[in-house]
């Protein structure tokens, strides 16, 4: 008895999508968004298949949002269109046969400032970043550096297992303020 197996291998054709990024913001913000975008990286990859481009476009939402937060923009909007369709609604398992255009539009919104900025308790002698004070730009690096400084302060004071036990970070969109309370 002989068995004959036939295997059909379907290889998607490369999709040479043109990726456009439009940002209403500073040159530094535009550069950071461009660097974070997987869609732009896929655009430079000659063998990027349609599902690669759709996957990159879908991943870009969270990646670009993280960059906006890094720069203090907590009310931005991100629109990603793949050949005119919202990338969020596309299936990575049933992508189009080819993709000709990915259009990314980012409206960063205002830079938020710190309203209430509190971290407690803090060990004696701990130096917190001066940017962690009311009225200063509220960026995720400032929040992260403040928490790290407090932990280092406690560890330097002999508490080797010091950690952040809680935090409350809220955005007041009407006033473009971030209120941060870190414990």
């Amino acid at each position: 008895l002989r068995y004959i197996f036939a295997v059909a291998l379907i290889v998607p054709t490369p999709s040479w999508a043109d990726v456009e990024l439009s940002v209403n913001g500073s040159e530094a913000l535009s550069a950071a968004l461009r660097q974070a975008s997987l869609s732009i990286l896929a655009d430079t990859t000659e063998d990027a298949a349609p599902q690669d481009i759709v996957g990159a476009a879908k991943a870009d939402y969270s990646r670009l949002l993280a960059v906006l937060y890094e720069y203090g923009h907590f009310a931005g909007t991100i629109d990603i269109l793949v050949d005119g369709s919202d990338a969020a609604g596309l299936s990575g398992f049933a992508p189009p046969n080819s993709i000709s255009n990915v259009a990314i539009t980012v409206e960063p919104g205002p830079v938020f400032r710190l309203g209430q900025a509190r971290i407690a308790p803090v060990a004696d002698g701990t130096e917190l970043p001066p940017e962690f004070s009311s009225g200063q730009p509220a960026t995720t690096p400032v929040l992260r550096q403040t928490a790290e400084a407090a932990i280092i302060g406690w560890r330097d004071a002999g508490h080797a297992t010091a950690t952040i036990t809680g935090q409350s970070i809220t955005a007041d969109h009407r006033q473009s303020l971030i209120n941060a309370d870190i414990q």
Side-chain angles (χ1 to χ4, degrees):
L1 215 7
R2 283 192 155 165
Y3 293 99
I4 299 175
F5 292 98
V7 177
L9 182 59
I10 300 171
V11 180
T13 58
S15 181
W16 306 98
D18 179 30
V19 179
E20 302 166 14
L21 173 63
S22 172
V23 180
N24 184 15
S26 71
E27 196 66 35
L29 177 60
S30 295
L33 290 165
R34 184 170 298 285
Q35 186 174 8
S37 173
L38 290 178
S39 296
I40 291 174
L41 178 62
D43 186 36
T44 64
T45 306
E46 290 185 14
D47 60 347
Q51 68 263 24
D52 298 330
I53 295 170
V54 169
K58 291 171 82 84
D60 272 350
Y61 286 107
S62 61
R63 295 174 63 87
L64 299 179
L65 186 62
V67 170
L68 289 177
Y69 289 177
E70 291 282 320
Y71 281 78
H73 297 279
F74 292 89
T77 59
I78 300 166
D79 293 309
I80 303 174
L81 300 177
V82 177
D83 284 341
S85 296
D86 186 0
L90 296 175
S91 169
F93 297 108
N97 290 331
S98 66
I99 297 171
S100 61
N101 181 269
V102 177
I104 303 169
T105 304
V106 179
E107 288 293 334
V111 172
F112 277 51
R113 303 240 172 241
L114 286 169
Q116 176 186 336
R118 188 177 86 83
I119 184 163
V122 179
D124 289 339
T126 299
E127 289 187 38
L128 298 176
E131 298 86 5
F132 188 71
S133 61
S134 294
Q136 293 295 316
T139 64
T140 51
V142 167
L143 299 173
R144 194 171 29 256
Q145 291 164 3
T146 301
E148 289 169 0
I151 291 169
I152 290 169
W154 280 112
R155 289 181 180 169
D156 287 350
H159 300 275
T161 60
T163 62
I164 297 298
T165 59
Q167 63 182 1
S168 172
I169 299 172
T170 56
D172 179 344
H173 288 271
R174 292 171 299 170
Q175 297 182 32
S176 299
L177 291 176
I178 293 291
N179 295 312
D181 188 11
I182 304 170
Q183 302 94 36

